[in-house]
Amino acid sequence: MERLMKIDRRIIYLIAAALVILTLFVPLGLPVKISDMTRGAYSAIENLPDGSLVFIAPMYDPGARGELDPMFVAMLHQCAKRGYKMLIGNTSWTLGVQMLHPIVTDILGDYGYTYGEDYIELGSKPGGSIWMQQATNDLVTACITDYNNQPLAQFPIISQVPKLAAEYVDAILVLDCGTPGAREWLTYVSTPTGIPLVVGVIQMSVPEHTPFLDSGQYKGLIGGSRGAAEYELLVGKPGKAVKSQDTMSVIALMVTLFIILGNIGYLTSRKK
Amino acid sequence: MHLSTNPGIWAQALCILAVYTYLYKDNPVWRFAETVYLGLATAYWFVYMFFNYITPAIQEWIIKDGQWHYIIAILLGLMIFFRYVPSLSWLARYPMSFWVGYGTGYVLAFDPAVWLTQVSATFLPLNTVKNVLVFIGVLSALVYFLFTIAKENPVVGGVAEVGKWYIMIALGSAFGNTVLYRWNLFLSRMNTIFVQWLGFSV
């Protein structure tokens, strides 16, 4: 039994890699049950008034693409289906908006959205929470230019949003993988202005963000790849997150098994 | 199978494989990938800072808009470099003092509204199991962190023990979520290698 505690980590890596690759090519088709948490986030976006304008802030970089890209894609589909106007941009996560630009162009192009009228990409602005606070006073001064370095004031959609305030913006949808992220949007924008906040987070941040959902400070929370899969199903666009659920389930089982074996080995060696 | 002809995908895939060689043991391929990453990241952030902070501040705000008071902030910021001049290093404390003072005030102006809402959210009617569990959890975890009261007292010690279990469950939950997130990262990388690079259809 003591040998259980001395398994070479490389064997564990090999087993896990084999399981990941196997489930990638041979899907098991395990069912994905939709949780109340994800349904709440979906409803919070779905039930915004017709003709709403939302600010989507993808606050992440390539490291979090696996979990947050599916949420972002599904979010774009949901907002476009409902006909919402969109401001898309972030602060500090420079790579995020660059890697998402083709996705935005493709999806919103398919829905017949016109750049500058129905949606605009603000790019990534420096400053973090300082930028957020400045945007609540004057959006054009805070941004100056759009993603393509064109002066922001020339676009019709911007005349409808002089600043981030509840009378102009119906919801802020944040995809979070660190700092600055959803907590900063809550502190410096949502709380002072009263704009509802819906958040999508990576799996490891779910426990940290759940209290803000329980307190009503977040109007919705989508958690990790599981939440992304549920959200894709709700939006009616099953994609990468749904596909990844077989792998995640198998890996969760494997990790649990190794933890149990490790503990059996530990308890046995302690008795001796 | 249809091998990618995109050089970007090739670079991604080879870097991923180079980094994962570390799982076997430390080796020159891994160290090469690490060094390339550090160099690229440093250059990227230098250019980013220059064009997003320094250029707009000087070109747009100071020269174009005539907001000359920004020069004071720039000079204050530059004073940080006095730390490299031993006889004048005390001057470097002023920008730090300003930054700490400003930062503290900024946080105190916005944070309490968020945290007080968190506190009031724990004032719950004890009419459901969830609410009772939240009430016990908040109270016992707070008692666990009361270091000024001796835990030898059986009541205080008992409540603190319950608080410790709550904290352990929270940490366990956080750990479990972290493990799953890391595996999702791995799955994304496998997607890059098998789907985007090697061109398998899944």
Side-chain angles (χ1 to χ4, degrees), chain A residues 17-33:
Chain A
L19 285 175
V20 168
I21 294 163
L22 193 71
T23 48
L24 196 67
F25 287 100
V26 189
L28 304 173
L30 296 172
V32 177
K33 192 183 167 212

Side-chain angles (χ1 to χ4, degrees), chain A residues 59 93 132 174-186 209 218:
Chain A
M59 308 283 285
W93 296 91
M132 292 176 194
V174 179
L175 297 173
D176 168 292
C177 81
T179 305
R183 293 268 291 275
E184 283 69 27
W185 279 98
L186 174 68
H209 286 269
Y218 291 172

